[in-house]
Amino acid sequence: MAGEAGTQRVALCLEYEGSGFSGWQAQKATSLATVQETLEAALSRVAGAAVSTVCAGRTDAGVHASAQVVHFDVSVRRPERAWVFGGNALTGPAVAIQWAREVSGDFHARFSAEARTYRYLVLNRSQRTAWMAGRCLHERVSLDDAAMHLAAQALIGEHDFSAFRGAGCQSKTPMRRVETIAVRRIGEFVCIDVRANAFLLHMVRNIVGSLLRVGRGEEGAYWIGELLQARDRRRGGATAPPGGLYLAGVSYGAQWGLPPLPPAPYAAAL
């Protein structure tokens, strides 16, 4: 454990393009590539010893991250820049470490996090995209983003989110606290940002799938609140595909002294 003689705990922030990965979590019984195994293999070579990482939030297959935070404990000391540049030389093009910071042994990437923010990108135009294929959802029907935003406000607060809980979710409780949710149109994109203390399996993708029904005019703006109260996943919209989803931020208290997180994906364009 960090804090013992000769050990240190290091926090990292990384980006990854999730299309080629079977999610974050290592799956050692299979040959499928995961972000965790890719990162740990690179860090282990930098450390000269096995490294095991803990992340702020596990992402599903095909989901991306612009600001995932992890921590790991090592018994060898390396400069912070060695973890960044050495790691990036070994992870391949789909994973990029943004910064490293030595932290106290009581920091925990998951349990010290105060909130997490996910961003979902919808390209709302008639023609499909080439350069963003696999990085957004293409929706041909013109969406009413104002109605989507109004509908989404029913989700703010602490609620039972069973209506947006994916099958196979292993959480002990469906209760989650959504702090903010916003839907906005910028150019040809509709951007959905959700900040919460934690998320259920497929929760954001199921919220997006239901909001799309409102945006297309298939349901009224107050339907999302009714769906939330019904607590029945079968009544909601289809699960939105993973390629449009990004883990865009993890919030920590100032006491940890972490550097700023990178901006959310396509922030400059949006």
Side-chain angles (χ1 to χ4, degrees), residues 9 17 22 32 51 53 64 77 99 110 121 144 150-151 156 163 165-166 170-171 178 182 185 187 229:
R9 178 161 291 185
E17 203 284 336
S22 185
L32 299 174
V51 169
T53 60
H64 319 293
R77 303 194 71 84
W99 50 252
R110 178 184 175 191
L121 292 177
D144 185 343
L150 176 61
I156 292 177
R165 183 178 189 172
Q170 298 179 357
S171 176
V178 171
R185 178 183 294 276
Q229 295 301 317

Side-chain angles (χ1 to χ4, degrees), residues 99-151:
W99 50 252
R101 178 63 53 88
E102 185 172 352
V103 292
S104 61
D106 54 348
F107 172 81
H108 194 284
R110 178 184 175 191
F111 297 124
S112 298
E114 297 175 351
R116 297 152 180 84
T117 300
Y118 278 88
R119 169 167 288 185
Y120 199 95
L121 292 177
V122 180
L123 179 63
N124 191 203
R125 69 184 191 191
S126 60
Q127 299 302 320
R128 64 179 177 85
T129 179
W131 67 277
M132 283 190 64
R135 296 177 177 88
C136 65
L137 168 65
H138 177 216
E139 174 59 57
R140 291 182 173 85
V141 176
S142 180
L143 297 172
D144 185 343
D145 53 286
M148 293 170 68
H149 178 78
L150 176 61

Side-chain angles (χ1 to χ4, degrees), residues 126-196:
S126 60
Q127 299 302 320
R128 64 179 177 85
T129 179
W131 67 277
M132 283 190 64
R135 296 177 177 88
C136 65
L137 168 65
H138 177 216
E139 174 59 57
R140 291 182 173 85
V141 176
S142 180
L143 297 172
D144 185 343
D145 53 286
M148 293 170 68
H149 178 78
L150 176 61
Q153 303 316 296
L155 303 178
I156 292 177
E158 186 165 358
H159 303 287
D160 180 331
F161 279 90
S162 293
F164 305 99
R165 183 178 189 172
C169 180
Q170 298 179 357
S171 176
K172 295 180 180 179
T173 173
M175 302 299 294
R176 292 293 186 269
R177 185 181 70 254
V178 171
E179 298 181 0
T180 61
I181 182 167
V183 182
R184 60 196 177 112
R185 178 183 294 276
I186 303 179
E188 296 178 319
F189 286 95
V190 173
C191 179
I192 301 110
D193 289 326
V194 188
R195 174 185 166 100

Side-chain angles (χ1 to χ4, degrees), residues 49-72:
V51 169
S52 178
T53 60
V54 176
C55 72
R58 297 172 184 173
T59 51
D60 297 332
V63 174
H64 319 293
S66 61
Q68 173 73 276
V69 177
V70 308
H71 82 257
F72 60 94

